[in-house]
């Protein structure tokens, strides 16, 4: 599904498996893309926690491992 986003728009996704992407911007444009993971299920396995840490490291760098 494509979501129209006029200037200064905010789009929030909620779900266990949300896949999203942004389109290229034109010269002179600026875009800020924020990504957040929030989990209220304490039953995450060691594998799931490891995958989350790898993803966080890819986005935020090695210091994300100790956050």
């Amino acid at each position: 599904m494509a979501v129209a986003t006029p200037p200064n728009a905010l789009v929030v996704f909620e779900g266990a498996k949300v896949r999203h992407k942004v389109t290229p911007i034109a010269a002179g444009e600026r875009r800020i893309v924020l990504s957040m993971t929030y989990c209220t299920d304490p039953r995450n396995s060691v594998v799931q926690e490891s995958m989350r840490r790898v993803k966080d490291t890819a986005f935020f760098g090695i210091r994300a491992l100790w956050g």
Side-chain angles (χ1 to χ4, degrees), residues 2-66:
V3 178
T5 52
N8 300 315
L10 172 67
V11 179
V12 178
F13 299 93
E14 187 274 329
K17 295 183 179 181
V18 176
R19 291 177 177 39
H20 63 280
K21 66 179 181 175
V22 296
T23 56
I25 59 174
E29 290 183 328
R30 182 174 65 172
R31 177 184 292 151
I32 298 173
V33 179
L34 304 173
S35 178
M36 180 183 90
T37 302
Y38 180 77
C39 181
T40 57
D41 187 351
R43 298 174 296 166
N44 280 347
S45 69
V46 172
V47 172
Q48 289 170 317
E49 179 63 18
S50 298
M51 289 172 47
R52 183 190 65 81
R53 293 209 174 246
V54 167
K55 177 187 69 82
D56 288 351
T57 303
F59 283 108
F60 302 113
I62 195 72
R63 290 174 36 174
L65 291 174
W66 292 276

